[in-house]
Amino acid sequence: MKAAARPFALPRVHATRPRPALWGWVALGGLAVGSADMLFAMAWWAQSGTPPARILQSVWAWIAGREAAFAGGAATALAGAASYFLLMSMIVAIYHVAARDHRVLRERPLLMGALYGAAWFVLLHAILVPLFSAAPPKRFLPDWNLACLLAHMVLIGIPVAWMSRRWYGMR
């Protein structure tokens, strides 16, 4: 049965918006997930009296070493923030490129995003930083590592997957 016409209704126009520039989308994604993860780390370590700048400096310590990073003040905190946002943008870009060719990455953003975040946690915290960092972790902290794993899944992986899903126009 056909719906009755609405005599005074305006016609529906479906305007298609152009996609934002890919580089801007990736940079925005890196800023969003990087900020969420940094705020998580700052809140976690604030309980033990660690200032927020120290968290950013600890990221820069991966490159410059602990002494240089912690002695550098605001400059090394900014360098740590910049390098972390660059890393997060690369994480966004890698998922986005993979999602172009693998539909399941767009169709199952919760599962695939959580797995992607967990994979990055393992890659960063269990392999790359301990092996190649100028400042590898001094000791293993089970509660911190579990919290980081969950943060990577929920604050990084899932949002990255949702962003790719949105970019490619899936609802």
Side-chain angles (χ1 to χ4, degrees):
M1 183 171 185
K2 193 172 184 179
R6 299 182 333 205
F8 298 106
L10 295 173
R12 292 184 182 183
V13 177
H14 295 286
T16 58
R17 286 192 220 160
R19 290 183 193 167
L22 181 57
W23 67 267
W25 190 257
V26 167
L28 179 64
L31 184 63
V33 298
S35 296
D37 192 47
M38 268 300 140
L39 288 173
F40 158 74
M42 289 174 181
W44 178 277
W45 290 107
Q47 300 171 32
S48 64
T50 304
R54 180 69 82 177
I55 305 304
L56 298 170
Q57 290 169 331
S58 69
V59 172
W60 188 245
W62 296 349
I63 298 165
R66 273 188 191 85
E67 293 77 25
F70 295 157
T76 56
L78 287 173
S83 60
Y84 198 69
F85 290 126
L86 179 62
L87 173 65
M88 291 296 116
S89 293
M90 290 184 337
I91 288 171
V92 171
I94 290 167
Y95 191 95
H96 187 77
V97 168
R100 178 181 56 209
D101 297 328
H102 302 284
R103 190 174 179 92
V104 69
L105 297 176
R106 298 185 314 265
E107 290 174 345
R108 311 267 324 260
L110 289 175
L111 175 63
M112 294 294 112
L115 291 173
Y116 185 69
W120 271 104
F121 168 80
V122 170
L123 183 64
L124 287 174
H125 294 274
I127 299 170
L128 295 177
V129 171
L131 288 177
F132 301 109
S133 175
K138 290 182 178 180
R139 64 189 187 279
F140 180 80
L141 303 170
D143 55 343
W144 167 244
N145 280 283
L146 178 60
C148 282
L149 171 62
L150 294 173
H152 273 74
M153 293 168 74
V154 174
L155 300 177
I156 297 172
I158 293 172
V160 165
W162 278 108
M163 288 183 68
S164 283
R165 180 182 172 111
R166 175 137 172 118
W167 172 267
Y168 289 110
M170 297 190 69
R171 298 196 192 278

